[in-house]
Amino acid sequence: MWTQLSFGRMTVLLAYHWFMVHSLWHAPVYGWLIFVSAWAPRAPFVWGLLPPFAIVFLEKIAFNTTHFWALLQHQLGGNGMDALTIPGGFPTNPLTQLTPGTSLLSVGLWMGLLVTAGFLMAAVRIRRSRGPI
């Protein structure tokens, strides 16, 4: 690996990957967890996981589909950020090209950021309306 890619380029590719995938792409998940921590009086971890899995379960029973599960896999797996890497590759692959324009103009990314903003606004409202902890 060290002979194919310089340390500087690998550092830039990893920083780009961390920023795009682990902060921006997963922002709706972080927003959901912040919202649930503001809303749930006890066991926020359970309340954070229970509704998504209940939706998946109920959708499978009621409609015999797995659309919500596919959405969760797509969001958590980072599959929407394929613009960052070559298919099946890792961001430090020597063939990887930085494409910030393609990544930042992704509709899925912006929809996720809008959902995140909604979760954060709801969490702020809930926290402001409650008394001190």
Side-chain angles (χ1 to χ4, degrees):
M1 177 66 100
W2 295 104
T3 59
Q4 296 177 358
L5 194 61
S6 71
F7 180 73
R9 179 151 171 85
M10 187 169 24
T11 303
V12 168
L13 286 171
L14 271 175
Y16 179 66
H17 171 78
W18 285 340
F19 175 71
M20 290 302 294
V21 174
H22 298 292
S23 63
L24 292 182
W25 187 253
H26 290 159
V29 177
Y30 302 143
W32 166 253
L33 293 176
I34 289 170
F35 168 70
V36 169
S37 73
W39 171 76
R42 291 186 195 183
F45 185 73
V46 173
W47 284 107
L49 293 178
L50 188 62
F53 286 117
I55 291 171
V56 168
F57 181 71
L58 291 174
E59 177 191 10
K60 183 64 176 172
I61 289 174
F63 305 113
N64 199 24
T65 60
T66 57
H67 297 298
F68 192 75
W69 179 248
L71 174 73
L72 287 177
Q73 284 181 324
H74 180 73
Q75 193 67 36
L76 294 174
N79 296 333
M81 298 309 291
D82 288 338
L84 292 175
T85 61
I86 58 174
F90 193 69
T92 56
N93 189 319
L95 299 176
T96 300
Q97 300 295 319
L98 293 177
T99 56
T102 305
S103 302
L104 290 173
L105 293 177
S106 168
V107 174
L109 176 68
W110 286 102
M111 293 298 290
L113 291 176
L114 284 174
V115 168
T116 303
F119 283 143
L120 292 178
M121 287 188 323
V124 167
R125 283 189 177 260
I126 290 172
R127 291 208 187 259
R128 282 188 180 176
S129 67
R130 287 195 178 167
I133 296 176

